[in-house]
């Protein structure tokens, strides 16, 4: 078979000219900032989530300490009969 008569799948239906280069047109470069932006968003979300967890944990800890103190030192007028720290008015 002669190369001029062969019409293959990759020639687009036209005979291939042996003198033309077989290079495809250059592809435009992909923007690299898209993957960097995703990473930055993920890191920011991670740090915001960790900060929220830390703030919640501190609020719970402060509440527990305050509750413990209030149980040991009840306000005036609130006592149990068998409490050693109870001040009877």
């Amino acid at each position: 078979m002669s190369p001029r008569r062969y019409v293959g799948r990759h020639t687009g239906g036209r005979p291939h000219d042996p003198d033309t280069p077989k290079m495809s047109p250059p592809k435009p470069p992909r923007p690299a900032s898209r993957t960097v932006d995703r990473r930055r968003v993920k890191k920011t979300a991670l740090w915001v989530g960790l900060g929220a967890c830390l703030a919640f944990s501190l609020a719970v800890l402060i509440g527990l300490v305050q509750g413990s103190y209030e149980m040991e030192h009840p306000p005036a007028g609130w006592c149990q009969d068998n409490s050693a720290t109870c001040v009877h008015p």
Side-chain angles (χ1 to χ4, degrees):
M1 223 187 235
S2 169
R4 289 262 185 209
R5 295 182 67 206
Y6 176 71
V7 178
R9 202 166 97 178
H10 299 290
T11 59
R14 286 177 254 131
H16 179 68
D17 186 12
D19 295 333
T20 59
K22 294 184 178 182
M23 294 175 55
S24 62
K27 294 180 182 178
R30 286 183 79 185
S33 63
R34 185 175 190 178
T35 57
V36 172
D37 288 341
R38 269 190 205 158
R39 269 192 221 151
R40 182 173 292 157
V41 168
K42 286 181 181 179
K43 283 183 180 180
T44 303
L46 173 72
W47 285 108
V48 167
L50 287 174
C53 287
L54 181 64
F56 180 74
S57 298
L58 285 174
V60 168
L61 184 66
I62 289 171
L64 288 173
V65 169
Q66 285 178 345
S68 175
Y69 178 81
E70 289 293 326
M71 290 188 72
E72 292 295 321
H73 304 92
W78 182 82
C79 294
Q80 291 182 350
D81 290 334
N82 59 355
S83 175
T85 59
C86 185
V87 178
H88 293 285

